[in-house]
Short mmCIF file of all heavy atoms in Angstrom, two decimals:
data_model
loop_
_atom_site.label_atom_id
_atom_site.label_comp_id
_atom_site.label_asym_id
_atom_site.label_seq_id
_atom_site.Cartn_x
_atom_site.Cartn_y
_atom_site.Cartn_z
N MET A 1 -132.48 2.69 80.42
CA MET A 1 -132.79 2.38 79.03
C MET A 1 -133.15 3.70 78.34
O MET A 1 -133.89 4.50 78.87
CB MET A 1 -133.95 1.40 78.95
CG MET A 1 -134.28 1.03 77.53
SD MET A 1 -135.54 -0.24 77.38
CE MET A 1 -134.67 -1.63 78.01
N ARG A 2 -132.61 3.87 77.15
CA ARG A 2 -132.84 5.10 76.37
C ARG A 2 -133.88 4.83 75.28
O ARG A 2 -133.75 3.90 74.51
CB ARG A 2 -131.53 5.55 75.74
CG ARG A 2 -131.63 6.89 75.04
CD ARG A 2 -130.30 7.35 74.50
NE ARG A 2 -129.32 7.45 75.57
CZ ARG A 2 -128.06 7.03 75.46
NH1 ARG A 2 -127.63 6.48 74.35
NH2 ARG A 2 -127.23 7.15 76.46
N VAL A 3 -134.88 5.71 75.21
CA VAL A 3 -135.97 5.60 74.24
C VAL A 3 -135.91 6.78 73.30
O VAL A 3 -135.81 7.93 73.75
CB VAL A 3 -137.34 5.58 74.95
CG1 VAL A 3 -138.47 5.54 73.94
CG2 VAL A 3 -137.44 4.41 75.91
N LEU A 4 -135.99 6.51 72.00
CA LEU A 4 -136.14 7.57 71.00
C LEU A 4 -137.61 7.60 70.62
O LEU A 4 -138.14 6.63 70.07
CB LEU A 4 -135.27 7.31 69.77
CG LEU A 4 -135.48 8.25 68.58
CD1 LEU A 4 -135.29 9.71 68.96
CD2 LEU A 4 -134.55 7.87 67.44
N LEU A 5 -138.28 8.71 70.91
CA LEU A 5 -139.69 8.90 70.60
C LEU A 5 -139.81 9.86 69.43
O LEU A 5 -139.23 10.95 69.46
CB LEU A 5 -140.43 9.47 71.81
CG LEU A 5 -141.85 9.93 71.53
CD1 LEU A 5 -142.75 8.73 71.28
CD2 LEU A 5 -142.37 10.78 72.67
N VAL A 6 -140.55 9.45 68.41
CA VAL A 6 -140.77 10.30 67.23
C VAL A 6 -142.28 10.52 67.09
O VAL A 6 -143.02 9.58 66.82
CB VAL A 6 -140.21 9.67 65.94
CG1 VAL A 6 -140.24 10.68 64.81
CG2 VAL A 6 -138.81 9.13 66.16
N GLU A 7 -142.70 11.76 67.29
CA GLU A 7 -144.13 12.11 67.22
C GLU A 7 -144.24 13.56 66.77
O GLU A 7 -143.59 14.44 67.35
CB GLU A 7 -144.77 11.92 68.60
CG GLU A 7 -146.17 12.42 68.74
CD GLU A 7 -147.16 11.81 67.75
OE1 GLU A 7 -147.31 10.57 67.74
OE2 GLU A 7 -147.76 12.58 66.99
N ASP A 8 -145.05 13.81 65.74
CA ASP A 8 -145.16 15.15 65.22
C ASP A 8 -146.15 16.03 65.98
O ASP A 8 -146.04 17.25 65.96
CB ASP A 8 -145.53 15.13 63.73
CG ASP A 8 -146.82 14.41 63.45
OD1 ASP A 8 -147.07 13.36 64.05
OD2 ASP A 8 -147.60 14.90 62.60
N ASP A 9 -147.08 15.46 66.70
CA ASP A 9 -148.04 16.24 67.48
C ASP A 9 -147.40 16.62 68.82
O ASP A 9 -147.09 15.74 69.64
CB ASP A 9 -149.31 15.42 67.72
CG ASP A 9 -150.39 16.21 68.44
OD1 ASP A 9 -150.09 16.77 69.52
OD2 ASP A 9 -151.50 16.26 67.90
N PRO A 10 -147.20 17.92 69.06
CA PRO A 10 -146.47 18.33 70.27
C PRO A 10 -147.15 17.93 71.58
O PRO A 10 -146.47 17.60 72.55
CB PRO A 10 -146.35 19.84 70.15
CG PRO A 10 -147.28 20.25 69.07
CD PRO A 10 -147.57 19.06 68.23
N LEU A 11 -148.47 17.95 71.63
CA LEU A 11 -149.16 17.57 72.87
C LEU A 11 -149.00 16.09 73.17
O LEU A 11 -148.75 15.70 74.32
CB LEU A 11 -150.64 17.94 72.79
CG LEU A 11 -150.94 19.44 72.75
CD1 LEU A 11 -152.42 19.68 72.56
CD2 LEU A 11 -150.42 20.12 73.99
N ILE A 12 -149.15 15.26 72.15
CA ILE A 12 -148.97 13.82 72.33
C ILE A 12 -147.53 13.51 72.69
O ILE A 12 -147.25 12.72 73.59
CB ILE A 12 -149.40 13.05 71.06
CG1 ILE A 12 -150.91 13.20 70.85
CG2 ILE A 12 -149.01 11.57 71.17
CD1 ILE A 12 -151.42 12.65 69.53
N ARG A 13 -146.59 14.17 71.99
CA ARG A 13 -145.17 13.96 72.27
C ARG A 13 -144.85 14.31 73.72
O ARG A 13 -144.20 13.54 74.43
CB ARG A 13 -144.31 14.77 71.30
CG ARG A 13 -142.83 14.50 71.42
CD ARG A 13 -142.01 15.20 70.34
NE ARG A 13 -142.15 16.64 70.37
CZ ARG A 13 -142.71 17.36 69.41
NH1 ARG A 13 -143.19 16.79 68.32
NH2 ARG A 13 -142.81 18.67 69.50
N GLU A 14 -145.32 15.45 74.18
CA GLU A 14 -145.05 15.89 75.55
C GLU A 14 -145.64 14.91 76.57
O GLU A 14 -144.98 14.56 77.56
CB GLU A 14 -145.64 17.28 75.77
CG GLU A 14 -145.39 17.85 77.14
CD GLU A 14 -145.98 19.25 77.30
OE1 GLU A 14 -146.08 19.98 76.30
OE2 GLU A 14 -146.34 19.57 78.44
N PHE A 15 -146.84 14.43 76.32
CA PHE A 15 -147.49 13.48 77.22
C PHE A 15 -146.70 12.18 77.32
O PHE A 15 -146.44 11.67 78.41
CB PHE A 15 -148.92 13.20 76.73
CG PHE A 15 -149.61 12.14 77.53
CD1 PHE A 15 -150.14 12.43 78.78
CD2 PHE A 15 -149.72 10.85 77.04
CE1 PHE A 15 -150.77 11.44 79.52
CE2 PHE A 15 -150.35 9.86 77.77
CZ PHE A 15 -150.87 10.15 79.03
N ILE A 16 -146.29 11.65 76.17
CA ILE A 16 -145.56 10.37 76.16
C ILE A 16 -144.18 10.53 76.78
O ILE A 16 -143.74 9.67 77.55
CB ILE A 16 -145.47 9.81 74.73
CG1 ILE A 16 -146.87 9.47 74.21
CG2 ILE A 16 -144.58 8.56 74.70
CD1 ILE A 16 -146.92 9.10 72.74
N VAL A 17 -143.50 11.62 76.47
CA VAL A 17 -142.18 11.87 77.06
C VAL A 17 -142.29 11.89 78.58
O VAL A 17 -141.51 11.25 79.29
CB VAL A 17 -141.56 13.18 76.53
CG1 VAL A 17 -140.38 13.62 77.38
CG2 VAL A 17 -141.13 13.03 75.08
N GLU A 18 -143.26 12.63 79.08
CA GLU A 18 -143.43 12.75 80.53
C GLU A 18 -143.75 11.39 81.17
O GLU A 18 -143.19 11.03 82.20
CB GLU A 18 -144.54 13.76 80.84
CG GLU A 18 -144.53 14.26 82.25
CD GLU A 18 -143.27 14.99 82.64
OE1 GLU A 18 -142.67 15.70 81.81
OE2 GLU A 18 -142.85 14.84 83.80
N ALA A 19 -144.63 10.63 80.53
CA ALA A 19 -145.00 9.31 81.06
C ALA A 19 -143.80 8.37 81.09
O ALA A 19 -143.59 7.65 82.08
CB ALA A 19 -146.12 8.71 80.22
N LEU A 20 -143.01 8.37 80.03
CA LEU A 20 -141.82 7.50 79.99
C LEU A 20 -140.78 7.91 81.02
O LEU A 20 -140.18 7.07 81.68
CB LEU A 20 -141.22 7.49 78.58
CG LEU A 20 -142.03 6.77 77.51
CD1 LEU A 20 -141.45 7.04 76.12
CD2 LEU A 20 -142.07 5.27 77.79
N ARG A 21 -140.59 9.21 81.17
CA ARG A 21 -139.62 9.69 82.17
C ARG A 21 -140.06 9.35 83.58
O ARG A 21 -139.23 9.01 84.43
CB ARG A 21 -139.39 11.19 82.01
CG ARG A 21 -138.55 11.50 80.79
CD ARG A 21 -138.22 12.95 80.65
NE ARG A 21 -137.32 13.14 79.51
CZ ARG A 21 -137.20 14.26 78.85
NH1 ARG A 21 -137.90 15.33 79.19
NH2 ARG A 21 -136.37 14.34 77.82
N GLU A 22 -141.35 9.44 83.85
CA GLU A 22 -141.86 9.07 85.17
C GLU A 22 -141.60 7.59 85.48
O GLU A 22 -141.46 7.21 86.64
CB GLU A 22 -143.35 9.37 85.27
CG GLU A 22 -143.66 10.83 85.43
CD GLU A 22 -145.15 11.12 85.48
OE1 GLU A 22 -145.95 10.16 85.56
OE2 GLU A 22 -145.50 12.30 85.45
N GLU A 23 -141.52 6.79 84.43
CA GLU A 23 -141.24 5.36 84.61
C GLU A 23 -139.75 5.06 84.65
O GLU A 23 -139.34 3.90 84.73
CB GLU A 23 -141.92 4.55 83.49
CG GLU A 23 -143.42 4.56 83.56
CD GLU A 23 -143.96 3.97 84.86
OE1 GLU A 23 -143.44 2.93 85.31
OE2 GLU A 23 -144.89 4.56 85.43
N GLY A 24 -138.92 6.11 84.57
CA GLY A 24 -137.49 5.93 84.72
C GLY A 24 -136.69 5.81 83.44
O GLY A 24 -135.49 5.54 83.49
N PHE A 25 -137.32 6.02 82.30
CA PHE A 25 -136.62 5.93 81.03
C PHE A 25 -135.94 7.25 80.70
O PHE A 25 -136.45 8.32 81.03
CB PHE A 25 -137.57 5.58 79.89
CG PHE A 25 -138.16 4.21 80.01
CD1 PHE A 25 -139.45 4.04 80.51
CD2 PHE A 25 -137.45 3.08 79.64
CE1 PHE A 25 -140.01 2.79 80.64
CE2 PHE A 25 -138.00 1.82 79.76
CZ PHE A 25 -139.28 1.67 80.26
N GLU A 26 -134.80 7.17 80.04
CA GLU A 26 -134.18 8.35 79.45
C GLU A 26 -134.82 8.51 78.07
O GLU A 26 -134.86 7.56 77.30
CB GLU A 26 -132.67 8.13 79.30
CG GLU A 26 -131.95 9.30 78.68
CD GLU A 26 -130.47 9.04 78.49
OE1 GLU A 26 -129.94 8.07 79.06
OE2 GLU A 26 -129.86 9.80 77.73
N VAL A 27 -135.34 9.70 77.78
CA VAL A 27 -136.10 9.89 76.55
C VAL A 27 -135.45 10.95 75.67
O VAL A 27 -135.15 12.05 76.12
CB VAL A 27 -137.56 10.30 76.84
CG1 VAL A 27 -138.35 10.43 75.54
CG2 VAL A 27 -138.24 9.31 77.76
N ILE A 28 -135.24 10.57 74.42
CA ILE A 28 -134.81 11.49 73.37
C ILE A 28 -136.04 11.64 72.49
O ILE A 28 -136.69 10.65 72.18
CB ILE A 28 -133.67 10.89 72.53
CG1 ILE A 28 -132.50 10.51 73.41
CG2 ILE A 28 -133.26 11.83 71.42
CD1 ILE A 28 -131.50 9.59 72.72
N HIS A 29 -136.39 12.85 72.09
CA HIS A 29 -137.59 12.99 71.27
C HIS A 29 -137.32 13.83 70.03
O HIS A 29 -136.46 14.70 70.02
CB HIS A 29 -138.76 13.55 72.08
CG HIS A 29 -138.46 14.81 72.83
ND1 HIS A 29 -138.70 16.04 72.31
CD2 HIS A 29 -137.95 14.99 74.06
CE1 HIS A 29 -138.35 16.97 73.19
NE2 HIS A 29 -137.89 16.34 74.27
N ALA A 30 -138.07 13.49 68.99
CA ALA A 30 -137.95 14.17 67.70
C ALA A 30 -139.35 14.41 67.14
O ALA A 30 -140.27 13.65 67.41
CB ALA A 30 -137.15 13.31 66.73
N LYS A 31 -139.48 15.49 66.35
CA LYS A 31 -140.80 15.84 65.79
C LYS A 31 -140.99 15.37 64.36
O LYS A 31 -142.09 15.46 63.83
CB LYS A 31 -141.04 17.33 65.90
CG LYS A 31 -140.06 18.16 65.11
CD LYS A 31 -140.26 19.63 65.34
CE LYS A 31 -139.15 20.39 64.68
NZ LYS A 31 -138.82 21.62 65.35
N ASN A 32 -139.93 14.88 63.72
CA ASN A 32 -140.06 14.38 62.35
C ASN A 32 -138.97 13.34 62.07
O ASN A 32 -138.07 13.14 62.88
CB ASN A 32 -140.01 15.53 61.33
CG ASN A 32 -138.74 16.33 61.43
OD1 ASN A 32 -137.65 15.79 61.49
ND2 ASN A 32 -138.87 17.65 61.45
N GLY A 33 -139.07 12.72 60.92
CA GLY A 33 -138.14 11.67 60.57
C GLY A 33 -136.71 12.12 60.40
O GLY A 33 -135.78 11.42 60.82
N GLU A 34 -136.54 13.28 59.83
CA GLU A 34 -135.18 13.79 59.62
C GLU A 34 -134.47 14.02 60.95
O GLU A 34 -133.30 13.67 61.12
CB GLU A 34 -135.22 15.07 58.78
CG GLU A 34 -135.65 14.87 57.34
CD GLU A 34 -137.16 14.73 57.13
OE1 GLU A 34 -137.95 14.89 58.11
OE2 GLU A 34 -137.57 14.45 56.00
N GLU A 35 -135.19 14.61 61.90
CA GLU A 35 -134.63 14.86 63.22
C GLU A 35 -134.31 13.53 63.93
O GLU A 35 -133.28 13.39 64.58
CB GLU A 35 -135.63 15.67 64.04
CG GLU A 35 -135.08 16.27 65.29
CD GLU A 35 -136.11 17.16 65.97
OE1 GLU A 35 -136.64 18.07 65.33
OE2 GLU A 35 -136.37 16.90 67.17
N ALA A 36 -135.19 12.56 63.78
CA ALA A 36 -134.97 11.24 64.38
C ALA A 36 -133.72 10.57 63.82
O ALA A 36 -132.93 9.99 64.57
CB ALA A 36 -136.19 10.35 64.16
N LEU A 37 -133.54 10.65 62.51
CA LEU A 37 -132.35 10.04 61.89
C LEU A 37 -131.07 10.72 62.36
O LEU A 37 -130.05 10.07 62.55
CB LEU A 37 -132.46 10.07 60.37
CG LEU A 37 -133.53 9.15 59.79
CD1 LEU A 37 -133.61 9.33 58.28
CD2 LEU A 37 -133.29 7.70 60.15
N ALA A 38 -131.14 12.02 62.58
CA ALA A 38 -129.97 12.73 63.11
C ALA A 38 -129.63 12.20 64.51
O ALA A 38 -128.46 12.00 64.82
CB ALA A 38 -130.24 14.24 63.15
N TRP A 39 -130.64 11.94 65.34
CA TRP A 39 -130.39 11.35 66.65
C TRP A 39 -129.81 9.96 66.53
O TRP A 39 -128.92 9.58 67.30
CB TRP A 39 -131.68 11.30 67.48
CG TRP A 39 -131.96 12.55 68.24
CD1 TRP A 39 -132.97 13.44 68.00
CD2 TRP A 39 -131.21 13.07 69.34
NE1 TRP A 39 -132.90 14.48 68.90
CE2 TRP A 39 -131.82 14.27 69.73
CE3 TRP A 39 -130.09 12.63 70.02
CZ2 TRP A 39 -131.35 15.03 70.79
CZ3 TRP A 39 -129.61 13.39 71.07
CH2 TRP A 39 -130.25 14.58 71.45
N CYS A 40 -130.31 9.19 65.59
CA CYS A 40 -129.79 7.83 65.40
C CYS A 40 -128.30 7.85 65.05
O CYS A 40 -127.56 6.97 65.48
CB CYS A 40 -130.56 7.10 64.30
SG CYS A 40 -132.19 6.55 64.79
N ARG A 41 -127.89 8.85 64.31
CA ARG A 41 -126.47 8.95 63.94
C ARG A 41 -125.61 9.38 65.13
O ARG A 41 -124.45 9.01 65.21
CB ARG A 41 -126.30 9.93 62.78
CG ARG A 41 -126.76 9.38 61.45
CD ARG A 41 -126.38 10.28 60.29
NE ARG A 41 -127.12 11.51 60.26
CZ ARG A 41 -128.30 11.70 59.66
NH1 ARG A 41 -128.89 10.69 59.05
NH2 ARG A 41 -128.89 12.86 59.68
N ARG A 42 -126.16 10.16 66.04
CA ARG A 42 -125.39 10.67 67.17
C ARG A 42 -125.37 9.74 68.38
O ARG A 42 -124.35 9.58 69.03
CB ARG A 42 -125.94 12.03 67.63
CG ARG A 42 -125.61 13.13 66.68
CD ARG A 42 -126.07 14.42 67.26
NE ARG A 42 -127.54 14.44 67.21
CZ ARG A 42 -128.27 15.52 67.05
NH1 ARG A 42 -127.71 16.69 66.96
NH2 ARG A 42 -129.57 15.44 67.00
N ARG A 43 -126.52 9.18 68.70
CA ARG A 43 -126.65 8.37 69.91
C ARG A 43 -127.54 7.19 69.63
O ARG A 43 -128.63 7.34 69.10
CB ARG A 43 -127.28 9.18 71.03
CG ARG A 43 -126.50 10.40 71.43
CD ARG A 43 -127.26 11.21 72.43
NE ARG A 43 -127.31 10.52 73.72
CZ ARG A 43 -127.88 11.03 74.79
NH1 ARG A 43 -128.45 12.19 74.74
NH2 ARG A 43 -127.89 10.36 75.91
N ALA A 44 -127.11 6.06 70.04
CA ALA A 44 -127.93 4.86 69.86
C ALA A 44 -128.98 4.80 70.96
O ALA A 44 -128.69 5.02 72.12
CB ALA A 44 -127.06 3.62 69.91
N ALA A 45 -130.21 4.52 70.57
CA ALA A 45 -131.29 4.32 71.53
C ALA A 45 -131.51 2.81 71.68
O ALA A 45 -131.24 2.04 70.76
CB ALA A 45 -132.56 5.01 71.04
N ASP A 46 -132.00 2.44 72.82
CA ASP A 46 -132.32 1.04 73.06
C ASP A 46 -133.67 0.67 72.45
O ASP A 46 -133.87 -0.47 72.04
CB ASP A 46 -132.35 0.75 74.56
CG ASP A 46 -131.02 1.06 75.21
OD1 ASP A 46 -130.00 0.50 74.77
OD2 ASP A 46 -131.00 1.87 76.15
N VAL A 47 -134.58 1.64 72.41
CA VAL A 47 -135.94 1.41 71.93
C VAL A 47 -136.36 2.59 71.06
O VAL A 47 -136.06 3.74 71.38
CB VAL A 47 -136.93 1.28 73.12
CG1 VAL A 47 -138.36 1.14 72.63
CG2 VAL A 47 -136.54 0.14 74.02
N LEU A 48 -137.07 2.28 69.98
CA LEU A 48 -137.64 3.31 69.11
C LEU A 48 -139.15 3.23 69.21
O LEU A 48 -139.73 2.16 69.02
CB LEU A 48 -137.21 3.08 67.65
CG LEU A 48 -137.90 3.95 66.60
CD1 LEU A 48 -137.53 5.42 66.78
CD2 LEU A 48 -137.55 3.46 65.20
N VAL A 49 -139.78 4.35 69.52
CA VAL A 49 -141.24 4.47 69.52
C VAL A 49 -141.55 5.57 68.53
O VAL A 49 -141.15 6.72 68.72
CB VAL A 49 -141.80 4.82 70.91
CG1 VAL A 49 -143.31 5.01 70.86
CG2 VAL A 49 -141.40 3.78 71.93
N THR A 50 -142.24 5.22 67.43
CA THR A 50 -142.46 6.21 66.39
C THR A 50 -143.87 6.18 65.84
O THR A 50 -144.50 5.12 65.76
CB THR A 50 -141.45 6.03 65.23
OG1 THR A 50 -141.65 7.06 64.27
CG2 THR A 50 -141.57 4.68 64.56
N ASP A 51 -144.32 7.35 65.48
CA ASP A 51 -145.54 7.51 64.70
C ASP A 51 -145.19 7.01 63.29
O ASP A 51 -144.06 7.19 62.84
CB ASP A 51 -145.91 8.99 64.67
CG ASP A 51 -147.30 9.27 64.14
OD1 ASP A 51 -147.92 8.36 63.58
OD2 ASP A 51 -147.76 10.41 64.29
N ILE A 52 -146.10 6.36 62.62
CA ILE A 52 -145.81 5.87 61.27
C ILE A 52 -145.94 6.99 60.24
O ILE A 52 -145.08 7.16 59.39
CB ILE A 52 -146.74 4.69 60.90
CG1 ILE A 52 -146.49 3.51 61.84
CG2 ILE A 52 -146.55 4.27 59.45
CD1 ILE A 52 -145.10 2.97 61.83
N ARG A 53 -146.99 7.77 60.34
CA ARG A 53 -147.20 8.89 59.42
C ARG A 53 -146.62 10.16 60.01
O ARG A 53 -147.07 10.63 61.05
CB ARG A 53 -148.69 9.09 59.16
CG ARG A 53 -149.29 7.94 58.42
CD ARG A 53 -150.72 8.21 58.12
NE ARG A 53 -151.31 7.05 57.46
CZ ARG A 53 -152.58 6.87 57.30
NH1 ARG A 53 -153.43 7.76 57.74
NH2 ARG A 53 -153.02 5.78 56.71
N LEU A 54 -145.61 10.69 59.34
CA LEU A 54 -144.92 11.88 59.80
C LEU A 54 -144.79 12.87 58.65
O LEU A 54 -144.74 12.46 57.48
CB LEU A 54 -143.52 11.51 60.30
CG LEU A 54 -143.46 10.64 61.54
CD1 LEU A 54 -142.07 10.04 61.69
CD2 LEU A 54 -143.83 11.44 62.77
N PRO A 55 -144.70 14.15 58.96
CA PRO A 55 -144.47 15.14 57.90
C PRO A 55 -143.06 14.99 57.34
O PRO A 55 -142.16 14.49 58.00
CB PRO A 55 -144.64 16.48 58.61
CG PRO A 55 -144.34 16.18 60.05
CD PRO A 55 -144.78 14.77 60.27
N GLY A 56 -142.88 15.40 56.11
CA GLY A 56 -141.56 15.32 55.49
C GLY A 56 -141.39 14.07 54.66
O GLY A 56 -142.36 13.37 54.33
N GLN A 57 -140.18 13.76 54.34
CA GLN A 57 -139.86 12.66 53.42
C GLN A 57 -139.65 11.32 54.11
O GLN A 57 -139.61 10.29 53.45
CB GLN A 57 -138.59 13.02 52.63
CG GLN A 57 -138.71 14.28 51.82
CD GLN A 57 -139.77 14.16 50.75
OE1 GLN A 57 -139.85 13.16 50.06
NE2 GLN A 57 -140.60 15.18 50.62
N VAL A 58 -139.47 11.31 55.43
CA VAL A 58 -139.12 10.08 56.14
C VAL A 58 -140.27 9.67 57.06
O VAL A 58 -140.64 10.42 57.96
CB VAL A 58 -137.83 10.28 56.96
CG1 VAL A 58 -137.43 9.00 57.66
CG2 VAL A 58 -136.69 10.77 56.07
N ASP A 59 -140.84 8.49 56.83
CA ASP A 59 -141.92 8.02 57.69
C ASP A 59 -141.36 7.09 58.78
O ASP A 59 -140.17 6.80 58.83
CB ASP A 59 -143.03 7.34 56.89
CG ASP A 59 -142.58 6.04 56.22
OD1 ASP A 59 -141.51 5.50 56.56
OD2 ASP A 59 -143.32 5.55 55.35
N GLY A 60 -142.24 6.63 59.66
CA GLY A 60 -141.82 5.79 60.77
C GLY A 60 -141.18 4.48 60.36
O GLY A 60 -140.24 4.00 61.00
N TRP A 61 -141.68 3.87 59.27
CA TRP A 61 -141.08 2.62 58.80
C TRP A 61 -139.63 2.83 58.37
O TRP A 61 -138.76 2.01 58.67
CB TRP A 61 -141.88 2.04 57.63
CG TRP A 61 -143.25 1.61 58.00
CD1 TRP A 61 -144.43 2.18 57.58
CD2 TRP A 61 -143.62 0.54 58.87
NE1 TRP A 61 -145.49 1.52 58.15
CE2 TRP A 61 -145.03 0.50 58.94
CE3 TRP A 61 -142.90 -0.39 59.60
CZ2 TRP A 61 -145.72 -0.43 59.71
CZ3 TRP A 61 -143.59 -1.32 60.37
CH2 TRP A 61 -144.97 -1.33 60.41
N GLU A 62 -139.40 3.92 57.66
CA GLU A 62 -138.03 4.19 57.19
C GLU A 62 -137.10 4.52 58.36
O GLU A 62 -135.94 4.12 58.35
CB GLU A 62 -138.03 5.34 56.18
CG GLU A 62 -136.68 5.52 55.54
CD GLU A 62 -136.69 6.51 54.38
OE1 GLU A 62 -137.76 6.88 53.89
OE2 GLU A 62 -135.58 6.91 53.98
N ILE A 63 -137.62 5.23 59.36
CA ILE A 63 -136.79 5.51 60.54
C ILE A 63 -136.35 4.20 61.18
O ILE A 63 -135.17 4.01 61.48
CB ILE A 63 -137.58 6.34 61.58
CG1 ILE A 63 -137.89 7.72 61.02
CG2 ILE A 63 -136.79 6.47 62.88
CD1 ILE A 63 -138.91 8.49 61.84
N ALA A 64 -137.30 3.29 61.38
CA ALA A 64 -136.98 2.01 62.01
C ALA A 64 -135.94 1.25 61.20
O ALA A 64 -134.96 0.71 61.75
CB ALA A 64 -138.25 1.17 62.17
N GLU A 65 -136.13 1.21 59.90
CA GLU A 65 -135.20 0.49 59.03
C GLU A 65 -133.80 1.10 59.07
O GLU A 65 -132.81 0.39 59.21
CB GLU A 65 -135.75 0.48 57.61
CG GLU A 65 -134.92 -0.35 56.66
CD GLU A 65 -135.55 -0.37 55.26
OE1 GLU A 65 -136.73 -0.76 55.16
OE2 GLU A 65 -134.86 0.01 54.32
N ARG A 66 -133.73 2.41 58.98
CA ARG A 66 -132.42 3.08 58.92
C ARG A 66 -131.72 3.11 60.27
O ARG A 66 -130.50 3.02 60.33
CB ARG A 66 -132.57 4.47 58.32
CG ARG A 66 -132.92 4.36 56.84
CD ARG A 66 -133.25 5.66 56.17
NE ARG A 66 -132.13 6.56 56.14
CZ ARG A 66 -132.21 7.80 55.65
NH1 ARG A 66 -133.35 8.23 55.14
NH2 ARG A 66 -131.17 8.59 55.66
N CYS A 67 -132.47 3.23 61.36
CA CYS A 67 -131.84 3.23 62.69
C CYS A 67 -131.31 1.85 63.06
O CYS A 67 -130.37 1.73 63.82
CB CYS A 67 -132.83 3.70 63.75
SG CYS A 67 -133.09 5.48 63.77
N ARG A 68 -131.95 0.84 62.52
CA ARG A 68 -131.51 -0.53 62.80
C ARG A 68 -130.14 -0.82 62.22
O ARG A 68 -129.40 -1.63 62.73
CB ARG A 68 -132.53 -1.50 62.21
CG ARG A 68 -132.54 -2.84 62.83
CD ARG A 68 -133.62 -3.70 62.29
NE ARG A 68 -134.71 -2.92 61.72
CZ ARG A 68 -135.83 -3.41 61.29
NH1 ARG A 68 -136.05 -4.69 61.36
NH2 ARG A 68 -136.77 -2.66 60.78
N LYS A 69 -129.77 -0.14 61.14
CA LYS A 69 -128.49 -0.39 60.46
C LYS A 69 -127.32 0.11 61.21
O LYS A 69 -127.07 0.87 61.88
CB LYS A 69 -128.50 0.23 59.07
CG LYS A 69 -129.46 -0.46 58.16
CD LYS A 69 -129.43 0.16 56.80
CE LYS A 69 -130.43 -0.56 55.89
NZ LYS A 69 -130.45 -0.04 54.57
#
């Protein structure tokens, strides 16, 4: 199962990526909404795990809505 993780804090992102990989998940990670949307266009993830408040113009709610399409 492929997980797209979106988290702007590098320490939290690294911790979650490592934990998910240890559980056998394939993890794609992004530091902001724009980067996450670029991943959504290139590769479909099975699960989205996102921070709601992110730097830039795209927040977690918008990522979820746009990736679902």
Side-chain angles (χ1 to χ4, degrees):
M1 182 174 291
R2 186 177 302 137
V3 177
L4 172 56
L5 170 70
V6 189
E7 171 58 58
D8 59 319
D9 184 306
L11 293 176
I12 294 172
R13 186 173 60 245
E14 182 179 330
F15 175 78
I16 296 171
V17 166
E18 198 61 35
L20 289 170
R21 286 184 175 156
E22 285 178 9
E23 292 299 318
F25 294 100
E26 180 182 346
V27 183
I28 304 165
H29 52 92
K31 62 185 173 210
N32 58 47
E34 291 80 5
E35 194 175 306
L37 291 176
W39 274 111
C40 285
R41 286 189 290 272
R42 287 185 289 213
R43 300 174 70 177
D46 301 304
V47 176
L48 171 66
V49 177
T50 183
D51 192 348
I52 297 300
R53 294 184 183 166
L54 294 164
Q57 301 297 316
V58 182
D59 66 14
W61 294 113
E62 188 172 346
I63 295 167
E65 185 178 304
R66 290 173 64 183
C67 283
R68 203 175 337 187
K69 292 181 180 181

